[in-house]
Structure formats: structure tokens, C-alpha cells
């Protein structure tokens, strides 16, 4: 507990940090909108299904799979661009720039006349998402004091799902996907305005050698306290950025960042992050999002599909709110194991009931739908937000930015393959067997994390880094 109790700031500090991270929260709303956009577009256009009489565009199942997955395939390119610019421009400027491709993509989507324009919009949104990840997660992890870091960063997931719910509610009301995406262009404009008012990350300023400016920005982030009051935290930031200050002369030899990527202290958290992302994708339903309309129709429950999708996004917000409190109370390790286990069991039950219990079809449909909605609630209260908190915590400062970019890039590559080939996977093993197989694999994930996932809650970034050495 020492890592979180040595800084004693007041309520003004909490307000200042909330304001600083509000730009990141708005970016998460944009991210949620972008991710769920493919769901409403595919649901509206696939296989000549438009409900809007004025809609002229239709897409095939194959075109739908490409549109739904391209947003993940090109995200790593955005990560590469972010890697090249982040150290030079800093988190704040990069977060401002990420709004531009999103704004252009939404306007293009409104005027889309063919499937090629849909692909172009998907690629453009992917570049924006990739460019956003490292700056936003890095900024969130660096500007918050240890006792608030998990709470404020886990709240990012609330705003992500808020974005998905905003889009689905607007679409449920308008039933016009073009009008829906046009309305959402208000968010990047608002985000840019907010980001212009926040301070840069003190850690980035330290890395650029701007010590006095870093100290000044840290003071602002802690409610404009005196330099003396935040001196201890500032000195710890200095040591975190410059390991040689901490009696570790061997770090002087490793001046090449790319060589440092192969050190055990870097490879261990990187491997953990990749495995975490795999099991998160397997059981949180992200690769299934573009196909939610078809999946809910397959469940055959007597519900309105559009409003059911909106309700599922509402459950995600509820789960994210629960995570804000549960992570501090139970810790990330326990919550990961619990939510992964529950989701695995629910998936197995969906598969078994769907295959073997067909006598009472209406009851079966409701049970399957409720189990699926349960996984959405549980995943959003554990494995989903925790994955993005960990990526802001577990990497050492010397190569944190590049590792955040590499990790998120590989996450989206994994998501692309899971999304693009979900229809083929479903056809190969049959629809309900997908859930059974994923659930069984999830149980193996529980075993792995039981042995290898450390508890990072209530630990300073320096303490977390020391664990992986």
C-alpha cells in the first residue's frame, strides 16, 4: 500500500485529473462509435436488407465480412504512424490529430455510393483508431496518481461503451444509418476543443529534457499544488524515466530501444499482454460485433434486434461502471479469473443448449439470449477494461510507447482474423459449436492466468516494472 499512500493530494487534484483525462474519455466514445458502425451498416445493407426505402446500396455476405474486418487489419498501420510521431509530438498533439481521419471517414460514409467507398471509410477509421491507442492509453497511465489510475483508466471503458450505445440508440430511432453516422460527427469536434485545454504528460516532458515544464504540468494535474507538495512524486517520475538514477548502471549500455525490446523484463509483460488479448477477444464478443444482427436473429428470440443491440451496449456500460469499483475492491487478478471463468461457462452452456435442447424452442431462445447478454455484462466488468489498464501499466518506461503501439497493433491483427473468418469458422464447426469451443479454450486461459498474472492494483508504475525483472 506504500505506493499509493505517500502522495496526499486533495479533492482539487481528483478534479484536475478527471479534466485532463476527459479528452481520452471522449476519444473512447469515438472509438465505440467507430467499432459499432460496421454493425449497423452491415445489418442495414447485407443481402438486400435495407429497411430505409431511400437506401440504394446493398452488400453481400463476403463484402460484409471485409467491411467488418478491414477496420482491424489497417489499425496496425495507424500504430506505426503513431510510433513515428508520438515521441516527437507528445500525447496531446497526437490525440488531437487522431480526430481528423475519423471526421473525414464519417462524412465519406454518409455519402458512400458503393462498397469500395465503404472499404475506404473502414480503412480510414482503422488508421485513426491505431493512431489513437498509444497516445491515449499512455497519457491516461502517466497523468494519474497511483490511487486513481485504475479508477480513471477503467472509466475509459464506460465511455467506449457509451459511444456504442449512443450510435445504436440513434439508429434504433432513425432507422437511417447515413443520418446516424452524420450526427456523430459532433464528437471529434468537441474532443479537439477539450484536448486543446489539457496539459502534456509530465513523463513525456521529462523524456524530452524539459524538467521545469514537467514539474509545472504535474502541479496543474494535482490541482495546482505547490512544487514542494508534488516534489516526491516528481522525483519518482524522474527515476522511472531515467533508470540510471536508481543505481542501475547496466541500463546505460542499453541505449538502443529496439535492443531493449528483447530483455526479459520487456518480453515477460509483452507475452502476458498478447495472451490476455487473445482470451479477451475469444470471450468478450468483439469479433462478433459486425455480425450481431445475424447472431441475434439466429438465437430466434422474439425481440427487436436493433433495440436488443442497444440494450447489450447498455449492459456493457453497467459492467464498466461495476469495474470501476470492483477493480479497486477485488483487484485485477481475481476479477480477471472470475470474469473469464463465468464467460467460459456461459459460452459452453450456449453451445450445449443450442445443439441439444431444441424441444421447447421459445424457452431455449430466451435462455441462450440471456446467457449471451450475461457474457457481455460480465466481460465488460472484468477482462475487457482490465486489458487496457494493464497495457498502460506493465511496460517499462524506456520503451513504453513503442510497446503500447506494438501490442495494440497485434491486438488488432488478432481481431481482424477472428472477425474476418468468423463466418468461415461458424460454417466449419456449426454456429453453436463456436461458443462451446471458445468456452473450453477460455477455461485453459483461466489456468494460465492463475499462474502467471500478477496483481498490479495499488502498485506504482515503478513497482510493477520491478516485478517483471
Amino acid at each position: 500500500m506504500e505506493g499509493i499512500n505517500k502522495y496526499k493530494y486533495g479533492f482539487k487534484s481528483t478534479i484536475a485529473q478527471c479534466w485532463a483525462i476527459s479528452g481520452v474519455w471522449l476519444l473512447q466514445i469515438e472509438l465505440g462509435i467507430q467499432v459499432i458502425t460496421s454493425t449497423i451498416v452491415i445489418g442495414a445493407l447485407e443481402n438486400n436488407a435495407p429497411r430505409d426505402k431511400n437506401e440504394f446500396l446493398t452488400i453481400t455476405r463476403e463484402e460484409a465480412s471485409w467491411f467488418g474486418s478491414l477496420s482491424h487489419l489497417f489499425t496496425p498501420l495507424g500504430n506505426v504512424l503513431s510510433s513515428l510521431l508520438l515521441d516527437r509530438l507528445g500525447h496531446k498533439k497526437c490525440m488531437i490529430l487522431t480526430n481528423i481521419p475519423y471526421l473525414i471517414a464519417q462524412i465519406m460514409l454518409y455519402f458512400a455510393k458503393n462498397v469500395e467507398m465503404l472499404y475506404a471509410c473502414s480503412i480510414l477509421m482503422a488508421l485513426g483508431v491505431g493512431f489513437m491507442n498509444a497516445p491515449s492509453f499512455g497519457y491516461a497511465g502517466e497523468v494519474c496518481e497511483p490511487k486513481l489510475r485504475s479508477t480513471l483508466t477503467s472509466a475509459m471503458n464506460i465511455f467506449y461503451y457509451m459511444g456504442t450505445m449512443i450510435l445504436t440508440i440513434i439508429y434504433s430511432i432513425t432507422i437511417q444509418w447515413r443520418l446516424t453516422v452524420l450526427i456523430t460527427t459532433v464528437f471529434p469536434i468537441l474532443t479537439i476543443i477539450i484536448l486543446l485545454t489539457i496539459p502534456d504528460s509530465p513523463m513525456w516532458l521529462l523524456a524530452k529534457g524539459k524538467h521545469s515544464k514537467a514539474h509545472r504540468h504535474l502541479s496543474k494535474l494535482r490541482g495546482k499544488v505547490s512544487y514542494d507538495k508534488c516534489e516526491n512524486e516528481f522525483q519518482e517520475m524522474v527515476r522511472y524515466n531515467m533508470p540510471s538514477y536508481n543505481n542501475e548502471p547496466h541500463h546505460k549500455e542499453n541505449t538502443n530501444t529496439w535492443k531493449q525490446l528483447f530483455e526479459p523484463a520487456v518480453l515477460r509483460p509483452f507475452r502476458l499482454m498478447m495472451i490476455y488479448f487473445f482470451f479477451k477477444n475469444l470471450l468478450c464478443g468483439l469479433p462478433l460485433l459486425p455480425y450481431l444482427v445475424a447472431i441475434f436473429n439466429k438465437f430466434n428470440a422474439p425481440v427487436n434486434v436493433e433495440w436488443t443491440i442497444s440494450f447489450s451496449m447498455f449492459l456493457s456500460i453497467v459492467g464498466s461502471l461495476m469495474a470501476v469499483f470492483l477493480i479497486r475492491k477485488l483487484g485485477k487478478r481475481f476479477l480477471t479469473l472470475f470474469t473469464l471463468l463465468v464467460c467460459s461457462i456461459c459460452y459452453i452452456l450456449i453451445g450445449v443448449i443450442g445443439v441439444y435442447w431444441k424441444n421447447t424452442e421459445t424457452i431455449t431462445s430466451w435462455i441462450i439470449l440471456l446467457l449471451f447478454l450475461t457474457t457481455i455484462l460480465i466481460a465488460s466488468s472484468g477482462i475487457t477494461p482490465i486489458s487496457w489498464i494493464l497495457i498502460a501499466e506493465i511496460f517499462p518506461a524506456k520503451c513504453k510507447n513503442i510497446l503500447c503501439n506494438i501490442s495494440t497493433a497485434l491486438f488488432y491483427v488478432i481481431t481482424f482474423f477472428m472477425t474476418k473468418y468468423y463466418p468461415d469458422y461458424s460454417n466449419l464447426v456449426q454456429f453453436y459449436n463456436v461458443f462451446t469451443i471458445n468456452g473450453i479454450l477460455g477455461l485453459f486461459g483461466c489456468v494460465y492466468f492463475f499462474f502467471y498474472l500478477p496483481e498490479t492494483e495499488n502498485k506504482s508504475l515503478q513497482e510493477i516494472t520491478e516485478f517483471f525483472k
Side-chain angles (χ1 to χ4, degrees):
M1 295 294 290
E2 181 186 353
I4 66 169
N5 288 333
K6 54 188 172 186
Y7 313 128
K8 297 186 182 298
Y9 303 115
F11 181 69
K12 287 177 65 178
S13 173
T14 302
I15 296 299
Q17 290 171 72
C18 287
W19 178 256
I21 206 173
S22 63
V24 178
W25 290 341
L26 283 169
L27 284 174
Q28 290 301 302
I29 289 179
E30 293 180 33
L31 176 60
I33 289 171
Q34 292 177 76
V35 168
I36 205 70
T37 293
S38 61
T39 303
I40 69 164
V41 175
I42 291 173
L45 301 182
E46 186 182 5
N47 295 325
N48 199 28
R51 294 171 58 180
D52 181 4
K53 295 179 180 179
N54 296 321
E55 183 55 60
F56 56 88
L57 182 60
T58 61
I59 57 177
T60 65
R61 184 178 179 84
E62 178 66 17
E63 290 169 340
S65 71
W66 278 110
F67 176 64
S69 59
L70 280 174
S71 59
H72 303 299
L73 179 62
F74 281 85
T75 299
L77 182 56
N79 291 128
V80 172
L81 295 174
S82 179
S83 296
L84 297 174
L85 295 175
L86 183 54
D87 285 333
R88 177 176 296 182
L89 299 180
H91 304 79
K92 177 179 173 178
K93 291 178 182 176
C94 285
M95 287 191 292
I96 291 172
L97 288 174
T98 196
N99 291 277
I100 298 173
Y102 169 68
L103 186 59
I104 295 172
Q106 294 299 82
I107 294 172
M108 285 178 58
L109 200 56
Y110 176 78
F111 292 104
K113 296 181 179 180
N114 51 53
V115 70
E116 288 76 19
M117 285 190 70
L118 293 181
Y119 292 162
C121 293
S122 185
I123 292 170
L124 200 54
M125 285 191 288
L127 293 175
V129 171
F131 196 86
M132 175 197 73
N133 280 316
S136 59
F137 287 115
Y139 186 83
E142 292 177 6
V143 302
C144 301
E145 58 183 294
K147 71 175 183 179
L148 295 176
R149 191 174 60 238
S150 289
T151 300
L152 296 182
T153 52
S154 60
M156 292 167 62
N157 219 48
I158 298 172
F159 288 91
Y160 164 77
Y161 286 118
M162 191 180 295
T164 63
M165 193 174 79
I166 288 170
L167 190 76
T168 53
I169 287 177
I170 294 173
Y171 178 64
S172 297
I173 295 171
T174 64
I175 310 298
Q176 298 180 48
W177 67 271
R178 294 179 189 271
L179 177 60
T180 300
V181 297
L182 185 65
I183 292 171
T184 61
T185 56
V186 68
F187 288 102
I189 298 170
L190 178 61
T191 303
I192 291 173
I193 294 172
I194 296 296
L195 288 172
L196 288 171
T197 69
I198 68 173
D200 269 314
S201 163
M203 287 193 179
W204 176 75
L205 292 169
L206 280 173
K208 306 303 287 185
K210 302 177 180 179
H211 284 227
S212 60
K213 191 173 183 180
H215 208 163
R216 187 166 67 251
H217 281 221
L218 178 62
S219 173
K220 290 180 181 178
L221 287 164
R222 300 301 178 256
K224 295 185 178 180
V225 298
S226 66
Y227 282 17
D228 289 341
K229 190 162 187 178
C230 61
E231 179 64 24
N232 289 339
E233 185 178 7
F234 181 72
Q235 290 304 322
E236 182 165 322
M237 286 184 173
V238 172
R239 291 192 295 272
Y240 179 67
N241 272 275
M242 302 176 185
S244 57
Y245 283 26
N246 203 26
N247 299 319
E248 297 183 35
H250 68 280
H251 280 288
K252 296 179 181 178
E253 303 173 4
N254 296 327
T255 56
N256 189 315
T257 300
W258 291 99
K259 288 182 180 178
Q260 292 173 352
L261 295 180
F262 296 97
E263 294 180 0
V266 174
L267 289 177
R268 290 185 189 117
F270 177 73
R271 180 180 60 218
L272 175 67
M273 211 60 249
M274 289 301 96
I275 294 173
Y276 203 107
F277 277 146
F278 172 77
F279 285 107
K280 166 186 175 291
N281 263 6
L282 201 67
L283 294 159
C284 77
L286 178 59
L288 307 181
L289 272 184
Y291 313 105
L292 272 186
V293 173
I295 289 172
F296 284 149
N297 285 330
K298 189 77 173 179
F299 288 162
N300 205 29
V303 293
N304 179 282
V305 172
E306 287 79 14
W307 282 107
T308 304
I309 294 174
S310 296
F311 180 68
S312 68
M313 298 304 109
F314 170 74
L315 289 177
S316 298
I317 293 177
V318 173
S320 299
L321 284 169
M322 291 166 56
V324 172
F325 301 100
L326 291 176
I327 288 173
R328 293 194 67 182
K329 188 74 174 178
L330 302 176
K332 302 185 190 77
R333 173 182 161 82
F334 175 83
L335 204 53
T336 293
L337 294 172
F338 176 77
T339 56
L340 189 61
L341 178 62
V342 172
C343 289
S344 299
I345 293 172
C346 286
Y347 265 44
I348 292 171
L349 288 174
I350 290 172
V352 172
I353 293 172
V355 171
Y356 297 106
W357 189 13
K358 298 180 179 179
N359 296 329
T360 52
E361 188 172 333
T362 303
I363 297 176
T364 301
S365 300
W366 275 109
I367 292 174
I368 289 174
L369 178 61
L370 290 174
L371 285 170
F372 185 77
L373 293 175
T374 299
T375 65
I376 291 175
L377 174 66
I378 297 298
S380 61
S381 67
I383 53 176
T384 297
I386 290 173
S387 65
W388 298 116
I389 298 172
L390 287 176
I391 203 172
E393 290 181 333
I394 65 175
F395 296 129
K398 58 189 176 183
C399 44
K400 183 172 190 172
N401 288 339
I402 194 169
L403 281 171
C404 281
N405 275 310
I406 292 173
S407 297
T408 51
L410 291 176
F411 163 72
Y412 283 106
V413 170
I414 293 170
T415 308
F416 163 75
F417 282 106
M418 286 185 165
T419 303
K420 174 67 182 74
Y421 295 105
Y422 162 75
D424 299 316
Y425 176 34
S426 181
N427 290 335
L428 178 66
V429 302
Q430 300 303 316
F431 176 73
Y432 283 110
N433 289 331
V434 169
F435 293 95
T436 305
I437 295 170
N438 289 6
I440 292 172
L441 290 174
L443 297 178
F444 286 100
C446 291
V447 175
Y448 175 84
F449 291 129
F450 179 81
F451 288 105
Y452 294 105
L453 180 65
E455 180 56 75
T456 63
E457 186 64 11
N458 295 337
K459 301 290 194 304
S460 69
L461 295 177
Q462 182 65 30
E463 290 170 330
I464 295 169
T465 300
E466 290 293 329
F467 175 86
F468 287 104
K469 287 183 178 179

Coordinates of all heavy atoms in Angstrom, one line a residue, residues 345-395:
I345 N -18.0 -20.5 -19.0 CA -19.2 -21.4 -18.6 C -20.4 -21.0 -19.4 O -21.1 -21.8 -19.9 CB -19.4 -21.3 -17.1 CG1 -18.2 -21.9 -16.4 CG2 -20.7 -22.0 -16.8 CD1 -18.3 -21.8 -14.8
C346 N -20.7 -19.7 -19.5 CA -21.9 -19.2 -20.3 C -21.7 -19.6 -21.8 O -22.7 -20.0 -22.4 CB -22.0 -17.7 -20.2 SG -22.6 -17.1 -18.6
Y347 N -20.6 -19.5 -22.3 CA -20.4 -19.8 -23.7 C -20.6 -21.4 -23.9 O -21.2 -21.8 -24.9 CB -19.0 -19.5 -24.2 CG -18.9 -18.1 -24.9 CD1 -19.6 -17.0 -24.4 CD2 -18.2 -17.9 -26.1 CE1 -19.6 -15.8 -25.0 CE2 -18.1 -16.7 -26.7 CZ -18.8 -15.6 -26.2 OH -18.8 -14.4 -26.8
I348 N -20.1 -22.1 -23.0 CA -20.3 -23.6 -23.1 C -21.8 -23.9 -23.0 O -22.3 -24.8 -23.8 CB -19.5 -24.3 -22.0 CG1 -18.0 -24.2 -22.3 CG2 -19.8 -25.8 -22.0 CD1 -17.1 -24.7 -21.1
L349 N -22.5 -23.3 -22.1 CA -23.9 -23.5 -22.0 C -24.7 -23.1 -23.2 O -25.6 -23.8 -23.6 CB -24.4 -22.8 -20.7 CG -24.0 -23.3 -19.4 CD1 -24.5 -22.4 -18.3 CD2 -24.6 -24.7 -19.2
I350 N -24.3 -22.0 -23.8 CA -25.0 -21.6 -25.1 C -24.8 -22.6 -26.1 O -25.8 -23.0 -26.8 CB -24.4 -20.2 -25.6 CG1 -24.8 -19.1 -24.6 CG2 -24.8 -19.9 -27.0 CD1 -24.1 -17.7 -24.9
G351 N -23.6 -23.1 -26.3 CA -23.3 -24.2 -27.3 C -24.1 -25.4 -27.0 O -24.7 -26.0 -27.9
V352 N -24.0 -25.9 -25.8 CA -24.7 -27.2 -25.5 C -26.2 -27.1 -25.6 O -26.9 -27.9 -26.2 CB -24.3 -27.6 -24.0 CG1 -25.1 -28.8 -23.6 CG2 -22.8 -27.9 -23.9
I353 N -26.8 -26.0 -25.1 CA -28.3 -25.8 -25.2 C -28.7 -25.7 -26.6 O -29.7 -26.2 -27.0 CB -28.7 -24.6 -24.3 CG1 -28.5 -24.9 -22.8 CG2 -30.2 -24.3 -24.6 CD1 -28.7 -23.7 -21.9
G354 N -27.9 -24.9 -27.4 CA -28.3 -24.6 -28.8 C -28.3 -25.9 -29.6 O -29.1 -26.1 -30.5
V355 N -27.4 -26.8 -29.3 CA -27.2 -28.1 -30.1 C -28.2 -29.1 -29.6 O -28.8 -29.8 -30.4 CB -25.8 -28.6 -30.0 CG1 -25.7 -30.0 -30.6 CG2 -24.8 -27.6 -30.7
Y356 N -28.3 -29.3 -28.3 CA -29.0 -30.5 -27.7 C -30.4 -30.2 -27.2 O -31.2 -31.1 -26.9 CB -28.2 -31.1 -26.6 CG -26.9 -31.7 -27.2 CD1 -25.7 -31.0 -26.9 CD2 -26.8 -32.8 -28.0 CE1 -24.5 -31.5 -27.4 CE2 -25.6 -33.3 -28.5 CZ -24.5 -32.6 -28.2 OH -23.3 -33.1 -28.7
W357 N -30.8 -28.9 -26.9 CA -32.1 -28.7 -26.3 C -33.0 -27.9 -27.3 O -33.0 -26.7 -27.2 CB -31.9 -27.9 -25.0 CG -33.1 -27.8 -24.2 CD1 -34.3 -28.5 -24.3 CD2 -33.3 -26.9 -23.0 NE1 -35.2 -28.1 -23.4 CE2 -34.7 -27.1 -22.6 CE3 -32.6 -26.0 -22.4 CZ2 -35.2 -26.4 -21.5 CZ3 -33.1 -25.3 -21.3 CH2 -34.4 -25.5 -20.9
K358 N -33.7 -28.6 -28.1 CA -34.4 -28.0 -29.2 C -35.9 -28.2 -29.0 O -36.7 -27.8 -29.9 CB -34.0 -28.4 -30.5 CG -32.5 -28.1 -30.8 CD -32.1 -28.6 -32.2 CE -30.6 -28.2 -32.5 NZ -30.2 -28.7 -33.8
N359 N -36.4 -28.9 -28.0 CA -37.8 -29.3 -27.9 C -38.7 -28.1 -27.6 O -39.7 -27.9 -28.2 CB -38.0 -30.4 -26.8 CG -37.3 -31.7 -27.2 OD1 -37.1 -32.0 -28.4 ND2 -36.8 -32.4 -26.2
T360 N -38.2 -27.2 -26.7 CA -39.0 -26.0 -26.4 C -38.3 -24.8 -26.9 O -37.5 -24.2 -26.2 CB -39.2 -25.9 -24.8 OG1 -37.9 -26.0 -24.2 CG2 -40.0 -27.0 -24.3
E361 N -38.5 -24.5 -28.2 CA -37.7 -23.5 -28.9 C -37.8 -22.1 -28.3 O -36.8 -21.4 -28.2 CB -38.2 -23.5 -30.4 CG -37.3 -22.7 -31.2 CD -37.6 -22.8 -32.7 OE1 -38.2 -23.8 -33.1 OE2 -37.3 -21.8 -33.4
T362 N -38.9 -21.7 -27.9 CA -39.1 -20.3 -27.3 C -38.3 -20.1 -26.1 O -37.5 -19.2 -25.9 CB -40.5 -20.0 -27.1 OG1 -41.3 -20.1 -28.3 CG2 -40.7 -18.5 -26.6
I363 N -38.4 -21.1 -25.2 CA -37.6 -21.1 -23.9 C -36.1 -21.1 -24.2 O -35.3 -20.4 -23.6 CB -38.1 -22.2 -23.0 CG1 -39.5 -22.1 -22.6 CG2 -37.2 -22.3 -21.7 CD1 -40.1 -23.2 -21.7
T364 N -35.8 -22.0 -25.1 CA -34.4 -22.2 -25.5 C -33.8 -20.8 -26.0 O -32.7 -20.4 -25.6 CB -34.2 -23.3 -26.5 OG1 -34.7 -24.5 -26.0 CG2 -32.7 -23.4 -26.9
S365 N -34.6 -20.2 -26.8 CA -34.1 -18.9 -27.4 C -33.9 -17.9 -26.4 O -32.9 -17.1 -26.4 CB -35.1 -18.4 -28.5 OG -35.3 -19.4 -29.5
W366 N -34.8 -17.8 -25.4 CA -34.6 -16.8 -24.3 C -33.5 -17.1 -23.5 O -32.7 -16.2 -23.1 CB -35.9 -16.7 -23.5 CG -37.0 -15.8 -24.1 CD1 -38.2 -16.2 -24.6 CD2 -36.9 -14.4 -24.1 NE1 -38.9 -15.1 -25.1 CE2 -38.1 -14.0 -24.8 CE3 -36.0 -13.4 -23.7 CZ2 -38.4 -12.6 -25.0 CZ3 -36.3 -12.1 -24.0 CH2 -37.5 -11.7 -24.6
I367 N -33.3 -18.4 -23.1 CA -32.1 -18.8 -22.3 C -30.8 -18.4 -22.9 O -29.9 -17.9 -22.3 CB -32.2 -20.3 -21.9 CG1 -33.4 -20.5 -21.0 CG2 -30.9 -20.7 -21.2 CD1 -33.6 -22.0 -20.7
I368 N -30.7 -18.8 -24.2 CA -29.5 -18.5 -25.0 C -29.2 -17.0 -25.1 O -28.1 -16.6 -24.8 CB -29.6 -19.1 -26.4 CG1 -29.5 -20.7 -26.3 CG2 -28.5 -18.6 -27.3 CD1 -29.7 -21.4 -27.6
L369 N -30.2 -16.2 -25.3 CA -30.1 -14.8 -25.4 C -29.6 -14.2 -24.1 O -28.7 -13.4 -24.0 CB -31.4 -14.1 -25.9 CG -31.4 -12.6 -26.0 CD1 -30.3 -12.1 -27.0 CD2 -32.8 -12.1 -26.3
L370 N -30.2 -14.7 -23.0 CA -29.9 -14.2 -21.7 C -28.4 -14.6 -21.3 O -27.7 -13.8 -20.7 CB -30.9 -14.7 -20.6 CG -32.3 -14.1 -20.7 CD1 -33.2 -14.8 -19.7 CD2 -32.3 -12.6 -20.4
L371 N -28.0 -15.8 -21.7 CA -26.7 -16.2 -21.4 C -25.7 -15.3 -22.2 O -24.6 -14.9 -21.6 CB -26.5 -17.7 -21.8 CG -27.1 -18.7 -20.8 CD1 -27.0 -20.1 -21.4 CD2 -26.3 -18.7 -19.5
F372 N -26.0 -15.0 -23.4 CA -25.1 -14.2 -24.2 C -25.0 -12.8 -23.7 O -23.9 -12.2 -23.6 CB -25.6 -14.1 -25.7 CG -24.7 -13.4 -26.6 CD1 -23.5 -14.0 -27.1 CD2 -25.0 -12.1 -27.1 CE1 -22.7 -13.4 -27.9 CE2 -24.1 -11.5 -27.9 CZ -23.0 -12.1 -28.4
L373 N -26.2 -12.2 -23.3 CA -26.2 -10.9 -22.7 C -25.4 -10.9 -21.3 O -24.7 -9.9 -21.0 CB -27.6 -10.4 -22.5 CG -28.4 -10.1 -23.7 CD1 -29.8 -9.8 -23.4 CD2 -27.8 -9.0 -24.6
T374 N -25.4 -12.0 -20.6 CA -24.7 -12.1 -19.4 C -23.2 -12.0 -19.7 O -22.4 -11.4 -18.9 CB -25.0 -13.5 -18.7 OG1 -26.4 -13.5 -18.4 CG2 -24.2 -13.6 -17.4
T375 N -22.7 -12.7 -20.7 CA -21.3 -12.6 -21.1 C -20.9 -11.2 -21.4 O -19.8 -10.8 -21.1 CB -20.9 -13.5 -22.3 OG1 -21.6 -13.1 -23.4 CG2 -21.3 -15.0 -22.0
I376 N -21.8 -10.4 -22.1 CA -21.5 -9.0 -22.4 C -21.3 -8.2 -21.1 O -20.4 -7.4 -21.0 CB -22.5 -8.4 -23.3 CG1 -22.5 -9.1 -24.7 CG2 -22.4 -6.9 -23.4 CD1 -23.6 -8.7 -25.6
L377 N -22.2 -8.4 -20.1 CA -22.2 -7.7 -18.9 C -20.9 -8.1 -18.1 O -20.2 -7.2 -17.6 CB -23.4 -8.0 -18.0 CG -23.4 -7.5 -16.6 CD1 -23.5 -6.0 -16.6 CD2 -24.6 -8.1 -15.8
I378 N -20.6 -9.4 -18.0 CA -19.5 -9.9 -17.2 C -18.2 -9.5 -17.8 O -17.2 -9.0 -17.1 CB -19.6 -11.4 -17.0 CG1 -20.9 -11.8 -16.2 CG2 -18.4 -11.9 -16.3 CD1 -20.9 -11.2 -14.8
A379 N -18.0 -9.6 -19.1 CA -16.8 -9.3 -19.8 C -16.4 -7.8 -19.6 O -15.3 -7.4 -19.4 CB -16.8 -9.7 -21.3
S380 N -17.5 -7.0 -19.7 CA -17.2 -5.5 -19.6 C -16.9 -5.1 -18.2 O -16.5 -4.0 -18.0 CB -18.5 -4.8 -20.2 OG -19.6 -5.1 -19.4
S381 N -17.2 -6.0 -17.2 CA -16.8 -5.6 -15.8 C -15.5 -6.2 -15.4 O -15.1 -6.0 -14.3 CB -17.9 -6.2 -14.9 OG -17.9 -7.6 -14.9
G382 N -14.8 -6.9 -16.3 CA -13.6 -7.5 -16.0 C -12.5 -7.6 -17.1 O -11.7 -6.6 -17.2
I383 N -12.5 -8.6 -17.9 CA -11.4 -8.8 -18.8 C -11.3 -7.7 -19.8 O -10.2 -7.4 -20.2 CB -11.6 -10.2 -19.5 CG1 -13.0 -10.3 -20.2 CG2 -11.3 -11.3 -18.6 CD1 -13.1 -11.6 -21.0
T384 N -12.4 -7.1 -20.2 CA -12.2 -6.0 -21.3 C -11.6 -4.8 -20.7 O -10.6 -4.3 -21.3 CB -13.6 -5.7 -21.9 OG1 -14.1 -6.9 -22.5 CG2 -13.5 -4.6 -22.9
P385 N -12.1 -4.2 -19.6 CA -11.4 -3.0 -19.1 C -10.0 -3.3 -18.6 O -9.1 -2.4 -18.7 CB -12.3 -2.4 -18.0 CG -13.1 -3.6 -17.6 CD -13.3 -4.5 -18.8
I386 N -9.8 -4.4 -18.0 CA -8.5 -4.7 -17.3 C -7.4 -4.8 -18.4 O -6.3 -4.4 -18.2 CB -8.6 -6.0 -16.5 CG1 -9.5 -5.8 -15.3 CG2 -7.3 -6.5 -16.1 CD1 -9.8 -7.0 -14.4
S387 N -7.8 -5.3 -19.6 CA -6.8 -5.5 -20.6 C -6.1 -4.1 -21.0 O -4.9 -4.0 -21.1 CB -7.4 -6.1 -21.9 OG -8.4 -5.3 -22.4
W388 N -7.0 -3.1 -21.0 CA -6.5 -1.8 -21.4 C -5.8 -1.0 -20.2 O -5.0 -0.1 -20.4 CB -7.6 -0.9 -22.0 CG -8.1 -1.6 -23.3 CD1 -9.4 -2.1 -23.5 CD2 -7.4 -1.8 -24.5 NE1 -9.5 -2.6 -24.7 CE2 -8.3 -2.5 -25.4 CE3 -6.1 -1.6 -24.9 CZ2 -7.9 -2.8 -26.7 CZ3 -5.7 -1.9 -26.2 CH2 -6.6 -2.6 -27.0
I389 N -6.2 -1.4 -19.0 CA -5.5 -0.9 -17.9 C -4.1 -1.4 -17.8 O -3.1 -0.7 -17.6 CB -6.3 -1.2 -16.6 CG1 -7.6 -0.5 -16.6 CG2 -5.5 -0.6 -15.3 CD1 -8.5 -0.9 -15.4
L390 N -4.0 -2.8 -18.0 CA -2.7 -3.4 -18.0 C -1.7 -2.8 -19.0 O -0.5 -2.7 -18.7 CB -2.8 -4.9 -18.2 CG -3.5 -5.7 -17.0 CD1 -3.7 -7.2 -17.5 CD2 -2.6 -5.7 -15.8
I391 N -2.2 -2.5 -20.2 CA -1.3 -2.1 -21.2 C -0.7 -0.7 -20.9 O 0.3 -0.3 -21.3 CB -2.0 -2.0 -22.6 CG1 -1.0 -2.1 -23.7 CG2 -2.9 -0.8 -22.7 CD1 -1.6 -2.2 -25.1
A392 N -1.4 0.0 -20.0 CA -0.9 1.3 -19.6 C 0.0 1.2 -18.3 O 0.6 2.2 -17.9 CB -2.1 2.3 -19.2
E393 N 0.1 0.0 -17.8 CA 0.8 -0.2 -16.5 C 2.1 -1.0 -16.6 O 3.1 -0.7 -16.0 CB -0.1 -0.9 -15.5 CG -1.3 0.0 -15.0 CD -2.1 -0.8 -13.9 OE1 -2.1 -2.0 -14.0 OE2 -2.7 -0.1 -13.1
I394 N 2.0 -2.1 -17.4 CA 3.0 -3.1 -17.1 C 4.3 -3.0 -17.9 O 5.3 -3.7 -17.6 CB 2.5 -4.5 -17.4 CG1 2.1 -4.7 -18.9 CG2 1.3 -4.8 -16.5 CD1 1.6 -6.1 -19.2
F395 N 4.4 -2.1 -18.9 CA 5.6 -1.9 -19.7 C 6.6 -0.9 -19.0 O 6.1 0.1 -18.5 CB 5.3 -1.5 -21.1 CG 4.5 -2.5 -21.9 CD1 3.3 -2.2 -22.5 CD2 4.9 -3.8 -21.9 CE1 2.6 -3.1 -23.2 CE2 4.2 -4.8 -22.6 CZ 3.1 -4.4 -23.3

